[in-house]
Amino acid sequence: MSSDRRILYVVYCGVAVAVLKEFNAVVTEPYMDEPFHVPQALAYCRGEWSTWDPKITTPPGLYMLSVLLHRVFMFKCNLNLLRLTNTLTLFALPLVLTQLLGFHQRRRSPPKLTPSIEAVVLSSFPIAWFFGFLYYTEVPSLVSVLCTVVAATQNKHWLAGLLGIVSCLFRQNNVIWVLYAYAASQLMRDFIRSIMSAPKALPELLPAFVPYAVVLALFGGFVIWNDGIVLGDKSNHVPSFHVPQLYYFIAFATIIGWPAVLCGEGGPLKIATDVILRMFGSKRRILLTAIISIFMGITIQRFTIHHPFLLSDNRHFTFYIWRRVFMLHAAVPYLFIPGYQACAWAWWIRVACDQSLLQTLVLPVLILPTLLPTPLLEPRYFLVPYILLRAQVVDVQPYGIFLEGLWYMVINVATTYVFLYKERAGVGRFMW
């Protein structure tokens, strides 16, 4: 069995190398955000550490990683090898996910360099897979966050704190996931009993929190020094109160991750029945569903954001979804409300079946400060929340994992084909 997993991992890496080679052969110039990232990385490779493009809004972790590979392994600093930086982190993703899945499934992880089949499948998640071949921050950011969480769940708190700092060098809002790492590590125990027995619990809880407090203090110092969270071009990245972003996320998670939702113990019929009962199983449930629907309708009416980038950049799939679906009629955004609720209940049921209420609540609570301030509908923002959510679904049946891998493969083939071979004159290449 372990040899089969190794073979699958080798195939995964081999396919990734082939795809990277095709990306480099077809897309020979920096594309979309790469024209900002690549020159900055080249400046760092030349030792010009004071050079900074003010249009870049994320920290320099990606460029520092490329310089490290350049100095240690003598990689050249050119577009092809800069993209390889991300593909190498894509290689690491199944290894880290194996540890995280093992933690949630309460089983011993397999030997190193032998990722589980489920981890390999999840590593081909379309957003992670696609951006593993472009010079973007997404995959290194994801891997650093997962490493932080894994180290914390292994009670290596100072290592987790260090990795948390590294994760914040890729994206500022990863500081939220540093808190998640601490919470996940403490929820291994009977945390509610620890809280109830306060202040006796404090001597147990505080020492473990110290490394994470250091990260928070450093991040606070950065915010004061930078006069805000966003680096560079702050005008186009003003924090907002974008409540519908939460609805888009749960819909996206369900469309992409439906095999994990439907293929648990009992199959699709059981989860569908459970969702219907949660929404309409009694008069009280019907009343609650109606109240939630009214609340969601108000938030859609008051807090929907038609971001200028979403309305103008027709190289992204979201441009067409927004114009051809959400803007089809003024009533359309409200018609999705029952679907949003059903999706949310489905994920809740799937995650909560093997966890306490507190364990189940931690991730949704921390997703709020991650997604609420983001004014732009952008699937890349959903990457880390989705992977952490999907990792908590512990009983996906073998046929479900197969369907998940097949579904991811279909999406990856389609999006990669469109990006590489369906460039439109005067528009460009289409991507997430």
Side-chain angles (χ1 to χ4, degrees):
M1 186 66 177
S2 61
S3 61
D4 293 340
R5 291 197 294 261
R6 288 195 185 98
I7 291 171
L8 181 62
Y9 179 54
V10 170
V11 170
Y12 166 88
C13 294
V15 172
V17 169
V19 173
L20 175 64
K21 184 177 180 181
E22 191 67 9
F23 264 69
N24 288 334
V26 175
V27 188
T28 57
E29 297 294 329
Y31 189 72
M32 197 63 75
D33 287 0
E34 287 185 324
F36 303 104
H37 294 308
V38 171
Q40 186 62 53
L42 295 179
Y44 276 24
C45 284
R46 294 190 298 266
E48 299 172 6
W49 299 103
S50 61
T51 300
W52 185 259
D53 184 346
K55 293 183 179 180
I56 295 174
T57 59
T58 52
L62 178 63
Y63 324 125
M64 295 167 69
L65 178 59
S66 295
V67 171
L68 179 65
L69 295 174
H70 168 65
R71 298 282 175 84
V72 174
F73 299 105
M74 304 301 292
F75 282 8
K76 293 181 179 179
C77 278
N78 56 38
L79 178 61
N80 290 1
L81 291 178
L82 288 176
R83 287 173 176 168
L84 178 61
T85 303
N86 278 18
T87 307
L88 291 175
T89 58
L90 200 62
F91 292 169
L93 187 54
L95 305 175
V96 184
L97 275 173
T98 298
Q99 301 295 318
L100 183 61
L101 290 168
F103 165 73
H104 285 295
Q105 295 169 3
R106 298 178 179 86
R107 58 171 172 77
R108 181 176 295 180
S109 298
K112 292 181 179 179
L113 300 181
T114 310
S116 67
I117 294 173
E118 188 172 0
V120 173
V121 167
L122 188 51
S123 296
S124 64
F125 176 67
I127 304 298
W129 181 260
F130 184 87
F131 287 102
F133 309 108
L134 294 173
Y135 197 58
Y136 275 62
T137 61
E138 269 59 42
V139 182
S141 172
L142 171 64
V143 171
S144 63
V145 166
L146 296 181
C147 286
T148 303
V149 176
V150 167
T153 58
Q154 295 174 349
N155 291 320
K156 301 174 181 177
H157 296 295
W158 284 103
L159 176 61
L162 178 61
L163 291 169
I165 293 172
V166 171
S167 73
C168 292
L169 290 175
F170 291 106
R171 281 191 173 275
Q172 299 95 311
N173 62 1
N174 284 346
V175 70
I176 302 296
W177 304 124
V178 174
L179 290 175
Y180 174 79
Y182 170 73
S185 70
Q186 298 308 301
L187 291 173
M188 292 173 65
R189 306 176 299 142
D190 189 349
F191 194 52
I192 296 179
R193 183 177 298 174
S194 297
I195 293 176
M196 296 297 290
S197 62
K200 291 181 180 179
L202 290 178
E204 294 182 49
L205 299 177
L206 289 180
F209 183 67
V210 170
Y212 309 95
V214 171
V215 179
L216 295 177
L218 291 174
F219 184 79
F222 160 76
V223 172
I224 294 172
W225 169 80
N226 186 58
D227 194 26
I229 294 176
V230 179
L231 282 167
D233 185 11
K234 295 181 174 64
S235 61
N236 287 316
H237 295 81
V238 178
S240 62
F241 191 66
H242 193 190
V243 179
Q245 187 83 302
L246 304 173
Y247 312 151
Y248 307 148
F249 166 68
I250 202 65
F252 169 85
T254 308
I255 292 169
I256 293 290
W258 63 264
V261 174
L262 297 180
C263 301
E265 293 182 4
L269 182 60
K270 183 179 186 302
I271 188 68
T273 302
D274 288 346
V275 169
I276 291 171
L277 289 175
R278 294 288 181 121
M279 294 180 68
F280 309 108
S282 66
K283 291 182 179 179
R284 182 177 296 180
R285 290 284 182 182
I286 294 172
L287 178 61
L288 179 62
T289 298
I291 292 172
I292 294 174
S293 297
I294 293 170
F295 170 79
M296 293 177 71
I298 294 172
T299 56
I300 289 172
Q301 192 274 328
R302 291 178 59 88
F303 300 112
T304 294
I305 298 176
H306 299 269
H307 196 282
F309 289 176
L310 182 62
L311 297 174
S312 62
D313 195 341
N314 60 355
R315 296 167 296 176
H316 291 288
F317 300 141
T318 48
F319 171 88
Y320 300 95
I321 294 171
W322 192 258
R323 284 187 170 272
R324 297 179 182 180
V325 179
F326 286 90
M327 295 183 68
L328 182 65
H329 188 276
V332 169
Y334 302 93
L335 297 179
F336 293 123
I337 288 175
Y340 294 146
Q341 287 193 57
C343 292
W345 274 121
W347 279 104
W348 178 271
I349 292 166
R350 295 292 288 117
V351 171
C353 68
D354 194 57
Q355 297 187 143
S356 68
L357 176 62
L358 185 59
Q359 288 172 321
T360 307
L361 281 172
V362 167
L363 182 60
V365 167
L366 291 178
I367 283 176
L368 293 177
T370 305
L371 294 183
L372 275 178
T374 55
L376 177 63
L377 172 56
E378 171 62 80
R380 288 184 294 154
Y381 298 159
F382 302 154
L383 176 57
V384 174
Y386 176 83
I387 295 296
L388 293 176
L389 176 65
R390 168 60 183 84
Q392 293 187 19
V393 181
V394 300
D395 65 339
V396 182
Q397 302 300 298
Y399 76 92
I401 295 174
F402 173 79
L403 286 175
E404 188 176 25
L406 184 63
W407 178 232
Y408 288 171
M409 183 180 70
V410 169
I411 297 173
N412 288 333
V413 169
T415 52
T416 301
Y417 178 81
V418 168
F419 179 76
L420 292 178
Y421 307 119
K422 291 296 180 179
E423 181 179 12
R424 188 189 300 176
V427 178
R429 303 181 184 277
F430 299 97
M431 61 188 294
W432 288 103

